[in-house]
Amino acid sequence: MLVKLYCLFNSNNHFMHRRKDRRVNSSDRICSCHFIDGRKENGPTLFPWNQGTYFDFPNPNKISRQCRQAEIGESAEPETNESILTDTEPMVENEVADEEHNYMQSYSSLVLEIKELEKQIAYLQTEMATLQSQKHPLTVANVIDNEQKMLMYTSLKPQMFRIIDSTLQRFPLVYVDSWTPSAFSRTDQLFMTLMKLKLNCPFLDLAERFCTSKATIHNIIITHVFALHEVFFEGMMENNIPSLLKCKASMPASFGDFNCCRLVIDATEVTQDVPGQDMTAQSQTYSSYKNRHTVKSVTGVAPNGAVVYVSKLYPGSTSDVAIVKHSNMLAKLSPGDMILADKGFTIHSILPQGIHLNIPPFLKDKGQYTPAEVQVCRKIARSRIHVERVNERIKNFEILSHIPQQFRHISTKIFQVCAMLVNFQNPMIAEIANNYSFDQ
C-alpha cells in the first residue's frame, strides 16, 4: 500500500492535534496509516491507544433530519473541564511510542547524536592530517607516461626503459649485501639505478625520494650496476664489434671517403679522488692534460654512431697507445678493416697485418699543411666527430662528473654501463635517425 504524509493543517488553518508534550508547527507531517482508508478528509483517528475503541459512524448524508437536530442540540451544550480532561487523559496515559511512525526525537537523544558525530569528525580530521603528512615515495609509475620526465631522470625514453626492464627481469638478481629489498619492485629498483647514473643523486637524497634507508639504496644500486654490466655490456657489446659488411650496410654519406672504416676510436678522461697516501698511485693517475687525477678509457664507435667498444679505465697518465696495446683491441679486427683516430694514436708499429690506420698528418717542421693535407684533415675530422659526440653523451651521465673513493672499485663497470646506455638513446647521426623508429 502506498503511504502518504499529510500536513496537520486543516482547511481553516488550524492544527489538528491533541498533544501536550510539544508544540506542532507547519513542517510536521503524519502518516496516512492513521487515517481511515488512508484519506486525509477522514481525519487522523487510528492510534495504538484507541485501537478497537473507535466507532464506525454512518455516512452523515444518510442521517435523518431528527437525528441531525438532536446532535446539533447536544453539541450546543458547553463542554466542562471534566469532559476535556476525560478526552485528553487517554492520550497522555496510554501514549505508546510507535517505532514505525516515530518521526520525532527527544532533545537528549539529539545531543548525544551530535556529540558522537563530533567525535567522528575529529577522528577523521586527525586521520586526514596524518595521511597528508605522510610522504609518498617516488615510483616509475609516476613518470613513465611523461617522456620529458623519463629523459630527465634516466636519459631514456619510456620505450627503451621498458626494453631494458623486461630484459633484465629475465635474470635472477643476487644482491651484494646478501638481502633482498622486497619493498620495491624490480622496475622501481632499475629506475633508482638509472637516476643515480644520470643525476648522481646522493644516497640520502634517493632515500628521501623513495622513503627508504641509505643502506637499501646502496644495496639496490650496486647490485643493478653489476647486473646491467653483465647482461648488456658483457653479454651484448663486449667482443661484438660489427663486421665490415654490416658497417657498410649502415654507413652514412660522411664516410664516403672511408668506406672500409670499421671503427672510429678516441680517448676520454674522467676525474676521480686522489688515491690515498700512495705516491706511486698518485703519480700514475695524475693527468698532465687535465692537470688533475683522472682515469682514462678508449671508446670505439661504428660508422653509424653506435658504441661498439669501450676499454677498461686506466690511470690518467697512461698513453693512448699503451691502452690500445694493453686492451687487446686490435685483435678484434680483421684484415681489410680501417681505423680512424686522432694524432695521439700512433699505433702503426703494433697494427696487425692487413689493418689500416688513418690519422691526420703531422705538421712536423713544415710551416703549413699542403692543400692535399688540409683536405685529408677535414675529411677525417668530419668522420671522427661522431666519436667525440658519443664521448660527450657518455659524460652527460653525472655520475661520471667525478668518481669518488667509494665507487673506485666499480668505476670501470659504471663507465661501461653508461656507454652501453648511450646506444639506447636517439641515434647519433641524423641520417640514421631518419630511418629509425621506436615502433619497429
Side-chain angles (χ1 to χ4, degrees):
M1 181 180 68
L2 180 63
V3 177
K4 299 181 180 180
L5 297 176
Y6 295 136
C7 178
L8 294 179
F9 271 108
N10 59 16
S11 59
N12 297 324
N13 292 332
H14 293 294
F15 289 122
M16 298 185 297
H17 73 96
R18 299 168 62 190
R19 300 185 64 110
K20 287 187 176 182
D21 58 338
R22 61 182 297 274
R23 300 186 63 178
V24 181
N25 55 50
S26 59
S27 299
D28 291 331
R29 299 289 186 273
I30 187 167
C31 178
S32 62
C33 296
H34 299 294
F35 296 78
I36 297 176
D37 297 332
R39 302 179 64 180
K40 183 178 180 181
E41 57 267 19
N42 293 334
T45 58
L46 304 180
F47 296 97
W49 60 79
N50 63 1
Q51 186 174 1
T53 62
Y54 64 89
F55 300 94
D56 188 7
F57 296 100
N59 191 342
N61 297 325
K62 297 181 181 181
I63 300 177
S64 63
R65 182 177 300 175
Q66 294 178 355
C67 295
R68 188 174 298 174
Q69 290 177 354
E71 290 178 359
I72 294 174
E74 293 177 359
S75 62
E77 297 179 359
E79 293 185 351
T80 61
N81 293 335
E82 183 178 357
S83 64
I84 295 176
L85 293 176
T86 303
D87 293 337
T88 58
E89 280 177 359
M91 183 197 73
V92 176
E93 295 177 357
N94 301 325
E95 188 175 54
V96 179
D98 189 352
E99 294 182 357
E100 295 182 359
H101 308 294
N102 184 14
Y103 304 107
M104 305 302 299
Q105 295 182 354
S106 64
Y107 175 77
S108 58
S109 63
L110 290 175
V111 171
L112 292 176
E113 185 177 356
I114 291 173
K115 290 183 178 180
E116 185 65 26
L117 292 175
E118 288 177 347
K119 290 181 181 179
Q120 294 181 10
I121 292 173
Y123 171 76
L124 292 175
Q125 288 178 342
T126 304
E127 186 176 5
M128 183 174 64
T130 303
L131 293 175
Q132 290 177 347
S133 63
Q134 290 179 351
K135 294 180 179 179
H136 299 284
L138 176 65
T139 63
V140 69
N142 302 134
V143 298
I144 191 66
D145 295 327
N146 191 313
E147 184 175 302
Q148 291 183 348
K149 290 183 179 180
M150 286 297 294
L151 290 173
M152 177 183 68
Y153 285 124
T154 67
S155 77
L156 303 176
K157 291 187 174 181
Q159 300 93 325
M160 295 294 103
F161 178 85
R162 292 189 179 98
I163 291 174
I164 295 176
D165 180 42
S166 60
T167 304
L168 201 62
Q169 299 246 14
R170 300 177 184 178
F171 304 92
L173 289 182
V174 179
Y175 290 86
V176 295
D177 292 340
S178 303
W179 56 273
T180 302
S182 57
F184 299 96
S185 65
R186 291 276 298 269
T187 303
D188 285 334
Q189 294 180 32
L190 174 62
F191 183 58
M192 294 181 200
T193 305
L194 295 179
M195 280 185 63
K196 177 63 179 177
L197 296 177
K198 180 62 174 67
L199 303 178
N200 196 23
C201 301
F203 284 164
L204 181 59
D205 182 18
L206 291 174
E208 285 292 321
R209 291 173 186 253
F210 291 92
C211 299
T212 186
S213 63
K214 290 174 59 177
T216 302
I217 296 295
H218 175 272
N219 188 22
I220 290 173
I221 290 177
I222 302 302
T223 300
H224 277 75
V225 167
F226 277 92
L228 289 170
H229 185 271
E230 183 176 354
V231 173
F232 291 96
F233 183 80
E234 295 180 2
M236 299 182 183
M237 281 185 58
E238 195 174 33
N239 302 322
N240 284 314
I241 299 177
S243 64
L244 180 59
L245 183 62
K246 291 182 179 180
C247 291
K248 287 184 177 181
S250 59
M251 188 168 293
S254 58
F255 282 80
D257 296 320
F258 309 104
N259 55 4
C260 292
C261 178
R262 187 179 176 189
L263 199 62
V264 183
I265 62 176
D266 192 18
T268 185
E269 296 183 63
V270 179
T271 62
Q272 66 167 2
D273 285 345
V274 179
Q277 303 293 330
D278 189 350
M279 299 300 295
T280 301
Q282 293 183 15
S283 174
Q284 292 175 347
T285 59
Y286 187 81
S287 170
S288 58
Y289 178 71
K290 295 287 187 180
N291 293 325
R292 295 188 63 180
H293 293 272
T294 64
V295 285
K296 180 187 291 187
S297 173
V298 171
T299 57
V301 175
N304 62 1
V307 183
V308 295
Y309 178 79
V310 183
S311 73
K312 296 180 180 180
L313 290 178
Y314 291 84
S317 62
T318 309
S319 65
D320 299 342
V321 177
I323 294 176
V324 172
K325 184 177 181 180
H326 187 271
S327 64
N328 203 26
M329 179 190 71
L330 299 177
K332 299 177 174 62
L333 302 178
S334 303
D337 294 342
M338 176 187 292
I339 301 174
L340 288 182
D342 64 5
K343 295 179 181 180
F345 289 88
T346 54
I347 55 176
H348 298 86
S349 59
I350 60 175
L351 283 176
Q353 187 175 3
I355 297 177
H356 306 282
L357 175 67
N358 204 329
I359 61 176
F362 290 89
L363 188 59
K364 296 184 178 180
D365 297 332
K366 296 181 294 184
Q368 61 182 9
Y369 289 116
T370 63
E373 290 176 336
V374 171
Q375 291 298 323
V376 170
C377 289
R378 288 178 177 175
K379 292 178 180 179
I380 294 177
R382 186 174 58 198
S383 301
R384 279 194 63 258
I385 191 65
H386 302 308
V387 69
E388 295 180 0
R389 294 173 61 197
V390 166
N391 289 338
E392 180 184 5
R393 282 195 178 186
I394 295 174
K395 289 185 178 181
N396 283 339
F397 289 90
E398 291 297 325
I399 197 171
L400 297 178
S401 60
H402 183 83
I403 298 177
Q405 177 69 29
Q406 61 176 334
F407 291 149
R408 181 173 295 166
H409 66 292
I410 60 170
S411 58
T412 292
K413 286 182 169 57
I414 291 175
F415 185 85
Q416 291 174 339
V417 166
C418 293
M420 173 272 299
L421 292 174
V422 170
N423 285 337
F424 288 91
Q425 299 175 3
N426 285 340
M428 186 69 60
I429 304 174
E431 182 180 345
I432 303 298
N434 293 335
N435 300 323
Y436 181 81
S437 174
F438 282 110
D439 298 331
Q440 294 179 352

